[in-house]
Amino acid sequence: MSELRRAKTWEVSESEESDAETKPDESSQIVTISTDLTEDQGSDHKCNILSSSHTHTEPCPSSALSPPRPDGRATPSPARKRRTKEEMEADRQTARERKEARDGQRAARAREKEEERREQQRRREAAENLKSLRPENCLKCLTVCIDPALLQEDGSDILLDALATFEWRFSIESQQLPHSITWTRDLPQGDDGPVDEEQVVVVLGLTVFMDMVISVKKMLDSDEEETGAGSLLGPILECLNRDAKKVVTLLVTHSQLDYRVDACGVRSLDETLPLGMEDMDVEEVLVYLQLCKNVSLVFLDGWQEVTNHVCAVTKSLSKRPFKLLTERAELPFCVDGSWASGARVERDGSGLIQVWSRQIQQLNRVSPAVASTVVAAYASPQLLLQAYQSLGAEEDRKSLLAGLLVRSAGKERRVGPEISARVYRCFTAQNPQLVLD
């Protein structure tokens, strides 16, 4: 029994076959070697060598690589044009300019974002500051400072109970003036600590007040130096000398029978005046304190009225920052808003034409249609004045606007000589007391 061994076959690829066709001197051979071995002929070998013949094979994939050329030469690459130094330097310069442009745009965007963030921060701080200046918020920043000597008088607990009821802050601490009440305000930032308010209230009994009146009267009669020795006037004068902005108010209590107004409206202190002092002397002292020293006097019946006065001053102090902020504008009487006939002017100048039109409408019997016609002919007051100056005769100036056509509600009419003359007098008259209409 013969045994057949596997034959080995070499096949030539399509690319090699194509090369063989182009080069007839180079032939490919397919050699098949068959070896038959039988048990009977163990030592005999038969070899058949077949002549070469071309075989048809399936096309190989395009990705098959062709063998290198026999002569070792590769396919020449296209020639590359060498750039000059000027061209390379120009390319580098262009690249640098592009990079600088990108960096500049990036930096500009960063600056815009930073400016926008700062603007938002400023607006937020302004809104918070405005919110803190409102009276209901300012009350939380005020502290009523009460001298401990006032707590020794009967009825002072009414003031403390009222402050506690309103939930206002108050403190019991010694003051520069005895029997006085002051106010302090906490700043929104809180860096500089509380600030003292200008208002100072001094609560006096009738006896202390009469002693001060006698001291002031003696000082006025003898033309002595303003010392106020031996009375409360001395500390008050020292306080005013240290800070001239202080506003001192004297509250004289227990005076319902002592200082009253009769049916004729005349004040009387005759029942409680010391011996030898007349009512006119007291009036002279009051005038001196109010006009010369800016010290106000208020006569009250008891601690309930003192409490009402202190609460009124506290509320007034809480409203003052917001009022100062609203009055800081150049024209506080001009309310911004369409209902108030206001015209808003932006920084770029937009809105000035509306202001010019509203200015003409301020004249009597000048409608918005007439004002729009004048504004369309002369876009600014300066142009109108130049037109007046270009005319020589007075009558021509007065009738300059008379012939302008006014279109309103589908009808046409002229401005007329009356309105034209009033506009002329309004912009050229030198007399501020001149009646235009």
Side-chain angles (χ1 to χ4, degrees):
M1 184 177 181
S2 65
E3 182 179 357
L4 181 62
R5 293 186 177 180
R6 180 178 300 175
K8 297 181 181 180
T9 307
W10 290 268
E11 296 182 356
V12 181
S13 63
E14 183 178 357
S15 59
E16 293 176 345
E17 184 176 358
S18 61
D19 294 340
E21 292 177 357
T22 55
K23 298 180 180 181
D25 55 340
E26 296 179 359
S27 61
S28 60
Q29 295 180 357
I30 299 177
V31 181
T32 303
I33 302 175
S34 300
T35 306
D36 295 331
L37 298 177
T38 57
E39 293 180 355
D40 298 335
Q41 297 176 351
S43 59
D44 295 334
H45 298 281
K46 184 178 182 180
C47 296
N48 295 325
I49 300 174
L50 300 180
S51 61
S52 62
S53 64
H54 294 283
T55 60
H56 295 282
T57 59
E58 296 181 359
C60 64
S62 60
S63 60
L65 298 178
S66 58
R69 294 178 176 274
D71 53 0
R73 293 179 298 175
T75 304
S77 59
R80 295 181 60 184
K81 182 179 179 181
R82 295 181 60 85
R83 297 185 301 170
T84 62
K85 292 183 178 180
E86 290 78 6
E87 293 176 349
M88 290 188 293
E89 185 63 27
D91 293 342
R92 294 193 191 98
Q93 183 66 22
T94 303
R96 284 195 296 267
E97 292 177 356
R98 292 178 179 176
K99 183 179 179 181
E100 291 177 357
R102 289 194 299 268
D103 295 342
Q105 294 177 358
R106 193 179 298 110
R109 288 193 296 268
R111 285 193 300 268
E112 291 178 359
K113 291 182 179 179
E114 182 66 20
E115 185 65 24
E116 183 178 359
R117 186 188 65 81
R118 292 180 180 177
E119 183 66 22
Q120 292 178 355
Q121 182 67 19
R122 285 193 295 266
R123 292 179 180 178
R124 191 180 301 109
E125 292 177 357
E128 293 177 356
N129 188 21
L130 180 62
K131 184 178 179 180
S132 64
L133 293 180
R134 295 193 174 276
E136 59 273 11
N137 295 326
C138 282
L139 276 174
K140 302 176 183 179
C141 301
L142 287 175
T143 302
V144 183
C145 304
I146 305 173
D147 190 75
L150 292 176
L151 302 181
Q152 299 176 4
E153 299 185 8
D154 297 337
S156 59
D157 55 339
I158 299 177
L159 176 60
L160 300 180
D161 294 342
L163 296 177
T165 302
F166 290 125
E167 296 182 355
W168 294 348
R169 295 190 304 178
F170 64 92
S171 63
I172 310 299
E173 54 186 15
S174 299
Q175 304 296 320
Q176 295 180 356
L177 293 178
H179 297 79
S180 65
I181 300 174
T182 59
W183 287 264
T184 60
R185 182 191 304 275
D186 294 336
L187 296 179
Q189 293 80 9
D191 299 335
D192 300 333
V195 177
D196 296 334
E197 294 289 343
E198 300 172 356
Q199 296 292 331
V200 178
V201 172
V202 182
V203 183
L204 301 177
L206 183 61
T207 305
V208 179
F209 171 70
M210 295 310 301
D211 294 340
M212 186 179 65
V213 170
I214 295 172
S215 175
V216 174
K217 181 59 178 175
K218 290 180 180 180
M219 182 184 64
L220 295 177
D221 294 341
S222 60
D223 294 334
E224 295 178 357
E225 187 179 357
E226 298 178 352
T227 58
S231 66
L232 185 62
L233 184 61
I236 294 177
L237 296 178
E238 292 179 3
C239 179
L240 294 177
N241 291 332
R242 285 193 300 267
D243 190 357
K245 296 182 180 180
K246 289 291 184 181
V247 180
V248 180
T249 302
L250 302 180
L251 303 182
V252 182
T253 60
H254 305 292
S255 59
Q256 65 274 18
L257 297 177
D258 305 322
Y259 193 91
R260 63 181 179 273
V261 180
D262 56 13
C264 297
V266 180
R267 296 177 178 179
S268 177
L269 278 171
D270 295 338
E271 299 181 3
T272 57
L273 287 178
L275 185 62
M277 181 174 289
E278 299 178 358
D279 190 11
M280 189 60 65
D281 298 334
V282 177
E283 296 291 343
E284 182 181 356
V285 172
L286 296 182
V287 171
Y288 168 77
L289 292 176
Q290 292 179 4
L291 297 183
C292 298
K293 299 302 177 184
N294 196 22
V295 177
S296 303
L297 286 97
V298 180
F299 293 90
L300 303 175
D301 293 338
W303 269 95
Q304 183 60 50
E305 294 188 3
V306 172
T307 301
N308 296 339
H309 182 85
V310 172
C311 293
V313 173
T314 305
K315 291 180 180 180
S316 299
L317 291 176
S318 66
K319 297 177 182 178
R320 187 171 64 173
F322 190 77
K323 289 184 177 180
L324 292 177
L325 181 64
T326 55
E327 294 175 358
R328 194 176 300 172
E330 297 180 358
L331 300 175
F333 53 85
C334 294
V335 182
D336 188 12
S338 59
W339 61 272
S341 299
R344 184 178 181 85
V345 179
E346 303 294 342
R347 293 184 177 180
D348 57 353
S350 58
L352 289 174
I353 194 71
Q354 287 81 5
V355 175
W356 171 222
S357 177
R358 298 289 176 84
Q359 185 177 0
I360 301 176
Q361 295 180 39
Q362 290 179 355
L363 300 176
N364 292 335
R365 297 185 303 278
V366 175
S367 63
V370 174
S372 300
T373 302
V374 177
V375 169
Y378 303 97
S380 67
Q382 185 66 27
L383 295 177
L384 181 60
L385 292 177
Q386 291 176 0
Y388 285 142
Q389 294 173 0
S390 63
L391 299 177
E394 186 75 12
E395 295 298 328
D396 295 341
R397 297 177 182 177
K398 290 183 179 180
S399 60
L400 176 63
L401 305 177
L404 298 179
L405 291 177
V406 180
R407 297 179 176 85
S408 61
K411 299 180 180 180
E412 291 186 357
R413 61 184 180 89
R414 297 187 182 277
V415 173
E418 181 183 357
I419 296 179
S420 178
R422 279 196 286 126
V423 172
Y424 170 71
R425 288 195 299 269
C426 177
F427 287 97
T428 60
Q430 301 295 329
N431 182 13
Q433 304 299 330
L434 179 64
V435 180
L436 299 177
D437 195 356

